Structure formats: C-alpha cells, structure tokens
Amino acid sequence: MSNHLQIMQAADLAAWQQHRAGETRLGAALQFLNPLLPLEDALASAVQHGCRYILLGIPEDIGPRANLGNGGADQGFAAFLSRFINLQDNVFAKSGELLLAGTIACADLQQRSQSLDSNDATQLAQLRALCAELDLRVSTVLRACFDSGLVPIVIGGGHNNALPILQALAAHAGQSADAINLDPHCDFRLLEGRHSGNGFSYAHQAGWLRKYFVLGLHELKNSQAALAQLQQAGAAFCSYQQIWQRRQLTLQDAIAQAIRFVGAEDTRPLGIELDTDSISGMPVSAYTNCGVSVADAECYVWQLAQLPRVRYLHLAEAAPSQHPAGLKAGFNEAGQVLTALVLAFLQARQQQ
C-alpha cells in the first residue's frame, strides 16, 4: 500500500454509523481497499469487483493558511462521511460502484504547520513549502487512481489541491487537461510559492492545464494582477454579477458557455472543480452570505457530470469550524452540502 494513502475500512465508520432495523445505509454497502495489496493491485481488484468511483479525502488546511486565509479545511472530509454513510442504500443508489479509499496521509505536514504564523514572512514561506510537499503526495495517489480507470471524488483540504490533481490527470492522459470551476475567486494568482490561491496558475504554467473556465467569478474579489494572468492564459469566465445580480445570463446559459469554451465534443480529459466558498452560508475558509444556493451548485455539478470526458470531481475548502454557530453546526451543514454535491455527481453519471 502507498505510504501517502491512509486507507479506511468499515470499522473506521463506526463512530458515525446510524442503524435502524430493516434499513441498509450506504456506509454498510461501500467497498474498501484490500490493505494487504500494493496500492495499484488493490485498485485493480476494486475495479474487478465493480467499482467505478473512488472517494478520497485530503485532511489539510495548509493551503488556505499559506494563502493568508482561515484554517479548518482539514475537517471537510470527515463532515462529509458523517452524513453520506447514513443515506439509504436503495434503488436510487449504486453503492456497489463506490470505493472508499481513505485520506491522503498528511498528519505530519499538518502538525509541522500548526505553529507557523502566516503573518511572519519566514514562516509563511515554510507554510508554502509544506503545501508543495503535499502536492507530491496528492499527485502520487491520484495518478494511481486515474491509471486504474476509477473516477476520483476528492473532498477536503484547500483549493491548492487542484494543482496535483491536474498534474496526475495530465500525466495519466499524456496531455494537458481542461477544468471548469465554480468559484468566486479565479485562483490564478502569482507564482509566489504554493497556496490555495494559485493552483490553476501553477498548473497552467507547468503545462498540465489547457482550457480553464471560472463560473461565478466575483468581479470585486480578484486582483487585477490575477485577472490579467487569467486573460493572458486564454482562460474565460462568467461573473457572479452577470448571472445572479444583473441576470444577464441564466445559470443554464453560463454552464452552456463553459462547455462551449472547453469544447463540447472534445475528448481531452475534463475536471469539475467546485470551491464551496461559492455557496452562500457554507462553513468555509472564506465565509460568505453573498453566494450561490446549494441547489444551483448541485445543478452545476449535475449538468457537467453528464459529459463523458469528465474524469474527476473536486470539492474544496469546506471548513466546519468556521460556521458562526460553532463546530457541531458546521460539521452538520458542511456534511449535508458536500453529500448533496456528491449525489448530484453520481446520479448524473448513472444516466450515461
């Protein structure tokens, strides 16, 4: 098994699992990796047993803090699991296709980051160096997932993890990938050391990202330098104001525009990116009351997931501890929203 993957088994879900006579919950129907096999062999075995999707968590908040933001994104995947595993396993679920792999092993990096103050220039550089170390671990595990033919659903951590996911996908495909991102921020900031605000600019500079479209970009939450870099890279966007404030475009129009931009008939691999700080009231590192609804975020995922070229779903930045009412409320709300988004993805894929 890979040193960079902390695998999970059914027993790890016990603390969250709810039971009721006559019912089967998703947590009891998920498949798990064989811990006795090397990672590549365990993934191949899961595929042979009918798995199509792999659930993977990244319990870190190094990237957001290296971006001078708030912590808490390390708890997103746990919040998701606490709600997702208690859904009903019924005719609408294809639980046998779901492999719960576990989490990227990054507890040591998290521990090393805890004492670092992002307001100190030297310590900020150390945080960004730790983020680069994390990149290597994420890309290694994701490359194995893509090579196995599984479709990753990656949850938790900051949006910095878009870079190693795209790196792994490009290496697997032998060509650069495309990405569509629901996000008020373009995350195309300066190449100043790794953090959650420059995953896509680094990916483009490295040749791993070809076409990039940001849906819901906030016109006043992005620096002119980032917008200029976005334009120079040939990327495109529909703004939050165009869709939800001025109503110049419907959400369907914006999604259609994004698909046209990356190429509706293109066969190049495509990633669905969603920064949960786009969602109004979501407990995240950059909390907002001026975002999109959960229903619109679900629609975004559902529409794009139907494209045959989609190779992964990445849900970033959920930070339960940032909820105004505290961790318990944040755990519940983040878990519900992340679960809804994953279900939208899975149900759309079932139509293929």
Side-chain angles (χ1 to χ4, degrees):
M1 194 60 65
S2 169
N3 291 333
H4 299 320
L5 178 64
Q6 184 70 44
I7 67 167
M8 298 185 74
Q9 298 292 299
D12 296 314
L13 305 178
W16 299 311
Q17 194 87 54
Q18 299 172 9
H19 302 279
R20 181 177 291 176
E23 297 181 353
T24 302
R25 306 294 177 98
L26 280 182
L30 296 172
Q31 296 199 49
F32 300 88
L33 288 170
N34 184 336
L36 303 178
L37 296 176
L39 178 58
E40 291 77 9
D41 294 341
L43 292 170
S45 176
V47 171
Q48 291 173 358
H49 284 85
C51 290
R52 294 180 60 198
Y53 309 100
I54 181 167
L55 294 167
L56 183 67
I58 310 181
E60 64 85 24
D61 61 4
I62 299 168
R65 290 190 291 120
N67 193 24
L68 306 179
N70 296 314
D74 56 314
Q75 299 173 312
F77 188 61
F80 161 74
L81 286 178
S82 71
R83 302 292 301 199
F84 183 78
I85 65 171
N86 289 304
L87 292 174
Q88 299 291 339
D89 182 28
N90 59 28
V91 67
F92 296 103
K94 290 190 176 181
S95 55
E97 297 181 346
L98 288 172
L99 172 66
L100 175 54
T103 60
I104 299 295
C106 53
D108 59 321
L109 302 181
Q110 277 287 113
Q111 184 175 18
R112 287 160 57 191
S113 77
Q114 291 308 308
S115 62
L116 298 177
D117 182 359
S118 62
N119 294 311
D120 179 275
T122 299
Q123 295 182 48
L124 177 62
Q126 293 174 319
L127 273 173
R128 292 175 174 178
L130 288 174
C131 189
E133 284 190 53
L134 176 65
D135 288 343
L136 296 174
R137 300 186 186 187
V138 175
S139 64
T140 298
V141 174
L142 264 294
R143 173 65 190 272
C145 294
F146 287 126
D147 286 349
S148 73
L150 290 164
V151 175
I153 298 172
V154 185
I155 300 171
H159 221 161
N160 43 289
N161 295 303
L163 170 65
I165 297 172
L166 287 164
Q167 177 186 1
L169 179 55
H172 161 74
Q175 60 181 331
S176 56
D178 297 336
I180 300 175
N181 181 22
L182 178 62
D183 198 334
H185 310 102
C186 65
D187 290 347
F188 220 88
R189 290 176 55 188
L190 299 175
L191 308 181
E192 57 188 357
R194 289 286 295 117
H195 56 66
S196 63
N198 58 23
F200 297 101
S201 47
Y202 267 96
H204 180 266
Q205 187 268 343
W208 300 324
L209 175 64
R210 186 189 63 149
K211 290 189 175 182
Y212 176 50
F213 191 97
V214 187
L215 196 152
L217 177 144
H218 196 287
E219 293 174 2
L220 296 174
K221 292 184 178 180
N222 294 271
S223 70
Q224 184 57 44
L227 292 173
Q229 287 197 154
L230 194 68
Q231 183 179 25
Q232 290 166 8
F237 66 87
C238 286
S239 76
Y240 171 88
Q241 283 76 8
Q242 285 177 296
I243 306 166
W244 287 283
Q245 182 191 83
R246 298 193 290 268
R247 307 286 173 165
Q248 295 167 320
L249 295 170
T250 67
L251 177 59
Q252 296 295 329
D253 292 335
I255 293 172
Q257 184 174 329
I259 293 172
R260 285 195 302 271
F261 177 77
V262 299
E265 304 301 323
D266 203 311
T267 58
R268 189 179 296 262
L270 172 66
I272 302 176
E273 294 279 347
L274 193 155
D275 191 324
T276 55
D277 69 11
S278 63
I279 299 173
S280 192
M282 179 75 176
V284 290
S285 54
Y287 186 90
T288 182
N289 284 314
C290 302
V292 309
S293 69
V294 176
D296 279 349
E298 289 178 89
C299 180
Y300 161 83
V301 171
W302 188 83
Q303 292 270 34
L304 293 182
Q306 295 178 67
L307 299 174
R309 58 186 289 220
V310 165
R311 292 303 315 275
Y312 72 84
L313 171 67
H314 180 206
L315 306 177
E317 300 281 345
S321 62
Q322 295 298 326
H323 196 287
L327 179 60
K328 183 177 180 180
F331 218 75
N332 180 58
E333 188 161 334
Q336 287 189 63
V337 173
L338 291 168
T339 292
L341 297 171
V342 170
L343 289 176
F345 181 82
L346 293 172
Q347 292 190 313
R349 303 288 289 186
Q350 289 174 8
Q351 299 190 24
Q352 293 184 354

